[in-house]
Amino acid sequence: MVEHVTFDGADRLLDWLELTDAIENGHAFARAKIGDQLLWQRDATLLSRAAWVDGLGSAVKTAFVVPSNTARNLPTTNGAVTLFDDQTGELTALMDFGLVTKWKTAGDSLLAARKLARPDSSRILIIGAGTVARSMVEAYSAGFPQAEFEVWNRTPGNTEALIADYRDRAVINIAADLQKAVRNADIVTCATMAVEPILRGEWLSAGTHLDLIGAYRPDMREADDEALRRSRIFVDSRDTTLDHIGELKIPLQNGVIEPADIIADFYDLGTGSFRRTDADSITLFKNGGGAHLDLMTAIHILGKWKAC
């Protein structure tokens, strides 16, 4: 029987901390086999990602990203997620794209922050005010319940709408000055469509955790070279970030950093190397969001769905 998992039916069943534990446990299996296809024209991107983890199963996720849809009052991202049985190859589930994407993207970053940010982090800056920013308010509120938020966005109306929607769940204020907001933050999370860096490394204070989500193409970056030079760098997967996303691909090609500067990915969680080692280091995490993370997230969601 093929399960049809809907957003409204499954979203209420899920817990952010449980999901991060599920993602961490998923990395105890053998490293995923992955394959990506990326096409783009003008401002639109068609991204298909597939993953197969022996013992878990396989997933294919296709996303069509059209930033100009905002002017049409349409979602900027559409797509679908399919799950297949590990042994038989049978289709086991069709899952709402937005559901898997929401929980995978924010859960990915929250798992990293639980390992890399200072546990007492109480000031979180979100750069961007779109769909992902909303997920980050939910996820970081679960992982750092003591935290208050600031949001910086080029379009004030989006920020005001986000604050209005979450005023009963978190303390959120508008950041008027990006440089000042970065300097004052314990955690900075970026979720933008920037191609050129908007965050400068000279703004980062000792002990800050920097979470980079937005860039997903070879020509996209959110942070400049200085941010990389000053940071201890971590990724969710070397296989999906170093040679694929401009955030690291460009500075690696230009000799700003070396592959050895990438300290660990999630497959190193069991070794203890994916962690903060002192209070003053700046940690940088690149959220690449590969299909293996969609697979782990989708399997966790499917388990909750079947159990209800």
Side-chain angles (χ1 to χ4, degrees):
M1 175 181 173
V2 178
E3 299 284 348
H4 293 258
V5 182
T6 64
F7 189 103
D8 291 338
D11 187 65
R12 59 185 175 81
L13 305 175
L14 303 176
D15 174 87
W16 288 107
L17 300 186
E18 285 185 358
L19 174 63
T20 61
D21 291 342
I23 294 174
E24 182 168 2
N25 293 337
H27 286 83
F29 289 83
R31 186 174 286 267
K33 297 181 183 299
I34 58 173
D36 291 354
Q37 184 179 54
L38 178 67
L39 306 172
W40 75 86
Q41 297 186 73
R42 299 175 297 278
D43 72 330
T45 303
L46 178 63
L47 175 61
S48 289
R49 286 178 159 172
W52 189 352
V53 175
D54 190 21
L56 279 181
S58 61
V60 178
K61 176 180 172 181
T62 299
F64 208 135
V65 185
V66 185
S68 59
N69 271 359
T70 54
R72 306 180 180 100
N73 292 318
L74 294 172
T76 59
T77 305
N78 296 280
V81 178
T82 51
L83 275 180
F84 299 89
D85 183 85
D86 184 46
Q87 299 299 318
T88 68
E90 293 176 291
L91 179 66
T92 58
L94 294 171
M95 308 192 75
D96 185 278
F97 173 88
L99 173 75
V100 177
T101 300
K102 169 188 172 178
W103 287 86
K104 182 282 298 283
T105 302
D108 184 359
S109 285
L110 179 59
L111 173 56
R114 293 181 72 187
K115 305 295 182 179
L116 301 176
R118 299 195 315 272
D120 63 349
S121 295
S122 60
R123 296 168 297 182
I124 299 177
L125 170 65
I126 300 175
I127 301 177
T131 301
V132 175
R134 291 164 176 264
S135 301
M136 297 315 301
V137 172
E138 295 181 22
Y140 274 122
S141 292
F144 300 86
Q146 74 278 9
E148 297 184 0
F149 295 84
E150 283 193 309
V151 179
W152 182 90
N153 190 60
R154 287 194 174 98
T155 307
N158 290 352
T159 307
E160 292 165 0
L162 185 155
I163 291 172
D165 289 344
Y166 284 91
R167 69 170 72 254
D168 295 332
R169 301 172 63 175
V171 177
I172 311 175
N173 295 301
I174 295 175
D177 184 316
L178 179 58
Q179 178 177 345
K180 180 179 178 181
V182 171
R183 291 191 185 280
N184 290 337
D186 299 314
I187 298 172
V188 178
T189 180
C190 294
T192 73
M193 291 287 187
V195 176
E196 297 294 331
I198 59 173
L199 188 146
R200 298 172 63 178
E202 66 185 68
W203 299 342
L204 296 167
S205 299
T208 301
H209 173 60
L210 178 57
D211 171 30
L212 302 175
I213 300 173
Y216 56 90
R217 293 192 323 220
D219 63 331
M220 298 176 77
R221 295 184 68 181
E222 294 185 298
D224 68 1
D225 290 345
E226 185 64 13
L228 297 171
R229 291 191 187 99
R230 296 189 63 199
S231 300
R232 301 180 71 238
I233 304 171
F234 300 81
V235 297
D236 51 18
S237 171
R238 291 180 174 89
D239 295 335
T240 61
T241 54
L242 273 63
D243 296 325
H244 297 77
I245 299 174
E247 200 76 74
L248 297 177
K249 182 181 176 67
I250 294 170
L252 282 167
Q253 288 178 336
N254 293 340
V256 174
I257 58 172
E258 301 292 334
D261 292 321
I262 313 304
I263 295 170
D265 71 6
F266 281 163
Y267 282 103
D268 299 311
L269 283 165
T271 71
S273 58
F274 197 106
R275 64 185 180 91
R276 171 174 286 274
T277 56
D278 61 78
D280 292 333
S281 292
I282 297 170
T283 54
L284 182 153
F285 174 69
K286 176 51 195 162
N287 178 327
H292 63 298
L293 293 162
D294 290 300
L295 171 62
M296 295 170 191
T297 300
I299 288 174
H300 176 70
I301 293 172
L302 185 59
K304 290 290 188 178
W305 175 269
K306 287 183 173 182
C308 72

PDB file of all heavy atoms in Angstrom, residues 123-146:
ATOM      1  N   ARG A 123      20.531  34.882  21.699  1.00  0.00           N
ATOM      2  CA  ARG A 123      20.215  35.911  20.701  1.00  0.00           C
ATOM      3  C   ARG A 123      20.433  35.306  19.318  1.00  0.00           C
ATOM      4  O   ARG A 123      21.569  35.002  18.942  1.00  0.00           O
ATOM      5  CB  ARG A 123      21.108  37.136  20.899  1.00  0.00           C
ATOM      6  CG  ARG A 123      20.888  37.857  22.240  1.00  0.00           C
ATOM      7  CD  ARG A 123      21.971  38.855  22.516  1.00  0.00           C
ATOM      8  NE  ARG A 123      23.276  38.197  22.644  1.00  0.00           N
ATOM      9  CZ  ARG A 123      24.413  38.826  22.936  1.00  0.00           C
ATOM     10  NH1 ARG A 123      24.420  40.136  23.110  1.00  0.00           N
ATOM     11  NH2 ARG A 123      25.542  38.162  23.045  1.00  0.00           N
ATOM     12  N   ILE A 124      19.347  35.131  18.592  1.00  0.00           N
ATOM     13  CA  ILE A 124      19.406  34.498  17.274  1.00  0.00           C
ATOM     14  C   ILE A 124      18.959  35.497  16.220  1.00  0.00           C
ATOM     15  O   ILE A 124      17.874  36.077  16.313  1.00  0.00           O
ATOM     16  CB  ILE A 124      18.523  33.239  17.212  1.00  0.00           C
ATOM     17  CG1 ILE A 124      19.008  32.213  18.243  1.00  0.00           C
ATOM     18  CG2 ILE A 124      18.528  32.640  15.806  1.00  0.00           C
ATOM     19  CD1 ILE A 124      18.158  30.950  18.306  1.00  0.00           C
ATOM     20  N   LEU A 125      19.813  35.700  15.222  1.00  0.00           N
ATOM     21  CA  LEU A 125      19.500  36.571  14.099  1.00  0.00           C
ATOM     22  C   LEU A 125      19.149  35.707  12.895  1.00  0.00           C
ATOM     23  O   LEU A 125      19.910  34.815  12.518  1.00  0.00           O
ATOM     24  CB  LEU A 125      20.696  37.468  13.759  1.00  0.00           C
ATOM     25  CG  LEU A 125      20.587  38.262  12.449  1.00  0.00           C
ATOM     26  CD1 LEU A 125      19.462  39.290  12.518  1.00  0.00           C
ATOM     27  CD2 LEU A 125      21.922  38.935  12.108  1.00  0.00           C
ATOM     28  N   ILE A 126      18.012  35.984  12.292  1.00  0.00           N
ATOM     29  CA  ILE A 126      17.620  35.324  11.054  1.00  0.00           C
ATOM     30  C   ILE A 126      17.719  36.349   9.927  1.00  0.00           C
ATOM     31  O   ILE A 126      17.096  37.419   9.980  1.00  0.00           O
ATOM     32  CB  ILE A 126      16.179  34.787  11.129  1.00  0.00           C
ATOM     33  CG1 ILE A 126      16.052  33.770  12.267  1.00  0.00           C
ATOM     34  CG2 ILE A 126      15.769  34.158   9.801  1.00  0.00           C
ATOM     35  CD1 ILE A 126      14.633  33.274  12.483  1.00  0.00           C
ATOM     36  N   ILE A 127      18.514  36.029   8.909  1.00  0.00           N
ATOM     37  CA  ILE A 127      18.640  36.888   7.736  1.00  0.00           C
ATOM     38  C   ILE A 127      17.759  36.286   6.649  1.00  0.00           C
ATOM     39  O   ILE A 127      18.011  35.186   6.165  1.00  0.00           O
ATOM     40  CB  ILE A 127      20.103  36.996   7.272  1.00  0.00           C
ATOM     41  CG1 ILE A 127      20.967  37.573   8.401  1.00  0.00           C
ATOM     42  CG2 ILE A 127      20.211  37.868   6.024  1.00  0.00           C
ATOM     43  CD1 ILE A 127      22.452  37.642   8.062  1.00  0.00           C
ATOM     44  N   GLY A 128      16.722  37.026   6.277  1.00  0.00           N
ATOM     45  CA  GLY A 128      15.699  36.520   5.376  1.00  0.00           C
ATOM     46  C   GLY A 128      14.399  36.362   6.139  1.00  0.00           C
ATOM     47  O   GLY A 128      14.401  36.143   7.357  1.00  0.00           O
ATOM     48  N   ALA A 129      13.274  36.486   5.439  1.00  0.00           N
ATOM     49  CA  ALA A 129      11.973  36.404   6.110  1.00  0.00           C
ATOM     50  C   ALA A 129      10.980  35.593   5.292  1.00  0.00           C
ATOM     51  O   ALA A 129       9.773  35.833   5.370  1.00  0.00           O
ATOM     52  CB  ALA A 129      11.433  37.811   6.373  1.00  0.00           C
ATOM     53  N   GLY A 130      11.496  34.622   4.551  1.00  0.00           N
ATOM     54  CA  GLY A 130      10.631  33.786   3.737  1.00  0.00           C
ATOM     55  C   GLY A 130      10.169  32.541   4.469  1.00  0.00           C
ATOM     56  O   GLY A 130      10.166  32.472   5.705  1.00  0.00           O
ATOM     57  N   THR A 131       9.813  31.525   3.692  1.00  0.00           N
ATOM     58  CA  THR A 131       9.280  30.289   4.254  1.00  0.00           C
ATOM     59  C   THR A 131      10.279  29.606   5.176  1.00  0.00           C
ATOM     60  O   THR A 131       9.926  29.127   6.258  1.00  0.00           O
ATOM     61  CB  THR A 131       8.881  29.333   3.119  1.00  0.00           C
ATOM     62  OG1 THR A 131       7.893  29.977   2.302  1.00  0.00           O
ATOM     63  CG2 THR A 131       8.313  28.033   3.671  1.00  0.00           C
ATOM     64  N   VAL A 132      11.554  29.545   4.766  1.00  0.00           N
ATOM     65  CA  VAL A 132      12.571  28.874   5.582  1.00  0.00           C
ATOM     66  C   VAL A 132      12.771  29.618   6.894  1.00  0.00           C
ATOM     67  O   VAL A 132      12.957  28.996   7.948  1.00  0.00           O
ATOM     68  CB  VAL A 132      13.894  28.736   4.808  1.00  0.00           C
ATOM     69  CG1 VAL A 132      14.977  28.142   5.704  1.00  0.00           C
ATOM     70  CG2 VAL A 132      13.702  27.855   3.573  1.00  0.00           C
ATOM     71  N   ALA A 133      12.751  30.938   6.854  1.00  0.00           N
ATOM     72  CA  ALA A 133      12.918  31.721   8.083  1.00  0.00           C
ATOM     73  C   ALA A 133      11.858  31.355   9.110  1.00  0.00           C
ATOM     74  O   ALA A 133      12.136  31.264  10.317  1.00  0.00           O
ATOM     75  CB  ALA A 133      12.858  33.212   7.768  1.00  0.00           C
ATOM     76  N   ARG A 134      10.647  31.115   8.668  1.00  0.00           N
ATOM     77  CA  ARG A 134       9.569  30.731   9.581  1.00  0.00           C
ATOM     78  C   ARG A 134       9.868  29.368  10.218  1.00  0.00           C
ATOM     79  O   ARG A 134       9.666  29.173  11.425  1.00  0.00           O
ATOM     80  CB  ARG A 134       8.240  30.692   8.825  1.00  0.00           C
ATOM     81  CG  ARG A 134       7.773  32.082   8.401  1.00  0.00           C
ATOM     82  CD  ARG A 134       6.682  32.050   7.350  1.00  0.00           C
ATOM     83  NE  ARG A 134       6.229  33.400   7.061  1.00  0.00           N
ATOM     84  CZ  ARG A 134       5.169  33.982   7.606  1.00  0.00           C
ATOM     85  NH1 ARG A 134       4.427  33.302   8.479  1.00  0.00           N
ATOM     86  NH2 ARG A 134       4.840  35.212   7.309  1.00  0.00           N
ATOM     87  N   SER A 135      10.357  28.447   9.411  1.00  0.00           N
ATOM     88  CA  SER A 135      10.724  27.132   9.953  1.00  0.00           C
ATOM     89  C   SER A 135      11.848  27.258  10.967  1.00  0.00           C
ATOM     90  O   SER A 135      11.883  26.528  11.966  1.00  0.00           O
ATOM     91  CB  SER A 135      11.152  26.200   8.819  1.00  0.00           C
ATOM     92  OG  SER A 135      10.130  26.039   7.867  1.00  0.00           O
ATOM     93  N   MET A 136      12.770  28.192  10.716  1.00  0.00           N
ATOM     94  CA  MET A 136      13.888  28.352  11.635  1.00  0.00           C
ATOM     95  C   MET A 136      13.437  28.913  12.978  1.00  0.00           C
ATOM     96  O   MET A 136      14.012  28.574  14.019  1.00  0.00           O
ATOM     97  CB  MET A 136      14.967  29.249  11.015  1.00  0.00           C
ATOM     98  CG  MET A 136      15.604  28.694   9.746  1.00  0.00           C
ATOM     99  SD  MET A 136      16.042  26.933   9.848  1.00  0.00           S
ATOM    100  CE  MET A 136      17.162  26.918  11.242  1.00  0.00           C
ATOM    101  N   VAL A 137      12.427  29.774  12.999  1.00  0.00           N
ATOM    102  CA  VAL A 137      11.877  30.240  14.273  1.00  0.00           C
ATOM    103  C   VAL A 137      11.361  29.052  15.074  1.00  0.00           C
ATOM    104  O   VAL A 137      11.636  28.901  16.271  1.00  0.00           O
ATOM    105  CB  VAL A 137      10.753  31.271  14.050  1.00  0.00           C
ATOM    106  CG1 VAL A 137      10.060  31.592  15.378  1.00  0.00           C
ATOM    107  CG2 VAL A 137      11.297  32.547  13.422  1.00  0.00           C
ATOM    108  N   GLU A 138      10.626  28.167  14.416  1.00  0.00           N
ATOM    109  CA  GLU A 138      10.073  26.998  15.104  1.00  0.00           C
ATOM    110  C   GLU A 138      11.188  26.078  15.603  1.00  0.00           C
ATOM    111  O   GLU A 138      11.184  25.640  16.762  1.00  0.00           O
ATOM    112  CB  GLU A 138       9.162  26.223  14.151  1.00  0.00           C
ATOM    113  CG  GLU A 138       7.921  26.983  13.721  1.00  0.00           C
ATOM    114  CD  GLU A 138       7.038  26.153  12.800  1.00  0.00           C
ATOM    115  OE1 GLU A 138       7.144  24.910  12.836  1.00  0.00           O
ATOM    116  OE2 GLU A 138       6.243  26.750  12.036  1.00  0.00           O
ATOM    117  N   ALA A 139      12.142  25.770  14.718  1.00  0.00           N
ATOM    118  CA  ALA A 139      13.192  24.807  15.072  1.00  0.00           C
ATOM    119  C   ALA A 139      14.102  25.344  16.162  1.00  0.00           C
ATOM    120  O   ALA A 139      14.372  24.658  17.162  1.00  0.00           O
ATOM    121  CB  ALA A 139      14.009  24.455  13.824  1.00  0.00           C
ATOM    122  N   TYR A 140      14.581  26.570  16.004  1.00  0.00           N
ATOM    123  CA  TYR A 140      15.492  27.123  17.001  1.00  0.00           C
ATOM    124  C   TYR A 140      14.789  27.398  18.329  1.00  0.00           C
ATOM    125  O   TYR A 140      15.419  27.338  19.390  1.00  0.00           O
ATOM    126  CB  TYR A 140      16.162  28.391  16.468  1.00  0.00           C
ATOM    127  CG  TYR A 140      17.407  28.111  15.647  1.00  0.00           C
ATOM    128  CD1 TYR A 140      17.524  28.547  14.334  1.00  0.00           C
ATOM    129  CD2 TYR A 140      18.482  27.415  16.195  1.00  0.00           C
ATOM    130  CE1 TYR A 140      18.665  28.301  13.595  1.00  0.00           C
ATOM    131  CE2 TYR A 140      19.631  27.165  15.466  1.00  0.00           C
ATOM    132  CZ  TYR A 140      19.709  27.612  14.166  1.00  0.00           C
ATOM    133  OH  TYR A 140      20.848  27.361  13.439  1.00  0.00           O
ATOM    134  N   SER A 141      13.496  27.666  18.290  1.00  0.00           N
ATOM    135  CA  SER A 141      12.747  27.833  19.547  1.00  0.00           C
ATOM    136  C   SER A 141      12.715  26.534  20.330  1.00  0.00           C
ATOM    137  O   SER A 141      12.735  26.538  21.566  1.00  0.00           O
ATOM    138  CB  SER A 141      11.320  28.302  19.263  1.00  0.00           C
ATOM    139  OG  SER A 141      11.311  29.610  18.740  1.00  0.00           O
ATOM    140  N   ALA A 142      12.662  25.398  19.611  1.00  0.00           N
ATOM    141  CA  ALA A 142      12.671  24.096  20.277  1.00  0.00           C
ATOM    142  C   ALA A 142      14.048  23.758  20.837  1.00  0.00           C
ATOM    143  O   ALA A 142      14.169  23.222  21.942  1.00  0.00           O
ATOM    144  CB  ALA A 142      12.225  23.005  19.304  1.00  0.00           C
ATOM    145  N   GLY A 143      15.084  24.086  20.083  1.00  0.00           N
ATOM    146  CA  GLY A 143      16.436  23.739  20.522  1.00  0.00           C
ATOM    147  C   GLY A 143      17.037  24.717  21.506  1.00  0.00           C
ATOM    148  O   GLY A 143      17.878  24.340  22.337  1.00  0.00           O
ATOM    149  N   PHE A 144      16.604  25.978  21.454  1.00  0.00           N
ATOM    150  CA  PHE A 144      17.132  27.042  22.324  1.00  0.00           C
ATOM    151  C   PHE A 144      15.944  27.837  22.868  1.00  0.00           C
ATOM    152  O   PHE A 144      15.703  28.984  22.466  1.00  0.00           O
ATOM    153  CB  PHE A 144      18.091  27.944  21.540  1.00  0.00           C
ATOM    154  CG  PHE A 144      19.281  27.216  20.983  1.00  0.00           C
ATOM    155  CD1 PHE A 144      19.201  26.582  19.747  1.00  0.00           C
ATOM    156  CD2 PHE A 144      20.473  27.128  21.689  1.00  0.00           C
ATOM    157  CE1 PHE A 144      20.290  25.890  19.228  1.00  0.00           C
ATOM    158  CE2 PHE A 144      21.561  26.448  21.186  1.00  0.00           C
ATOM    159  CZ  PHE A 144      21.470  25.812  19.947  1.00  0.00           C
ATOM    160  N   PRO A 145      15.183  27.225  23.788  1.00  0.00           N
ATOM    161  CA  PRO A 145      13.929  27.852  24.246  1.00  0.00           C
ATOM    162  C   PRO A 145      14.126  29.184  24.959  1.00  0.00           C
ATOM    163  O   PRO A 145      13.167  29.954  25.101  1.00  0.00           O
ATOM    164  CB  PRO A 145      13.335  26.801  25.186  1.00  0.00           C
ATOM    165  CG  PRO A 145      14.482  25.929  25.588  1.00  0.00           C
ATOM    166  CD  PRO A 145      15.410  25.907  24.414  1.00  0.00           C
ATOM    167  N   GLN A 146      15.354  29.454  25.380  1.00  0.00           N
ATOM    168  CA  GLN A 146      15.626  30.716  26.063  1.00  0.00           C
ATOM    169  C   GLN A 146      15.883  31.862  25.091  1.00  0.00           C
ATOM    170  O   GLN A 146      16.008  33.023  25.502  1.00  0.00           O
ATOM    171  CB  GLN A 146      16.853  30.557  26.977  1.00  0.00           C
ATOM    172  CG  GLN A 146      18.205  30.496  26.245  1.00  0.00           C
ATOM    173  CD  GLN A 146      18.548  29.118  25.686  1.00  0.00           C
ATOM    174  OE1 GLN A 146      17.709  28.211  25.685  1.00  0.00           O
ATOM    175  NE2 GLN A 146      19.779  28.935  25.228  1.00  0.00           N
TER     176      GLN A 146
END
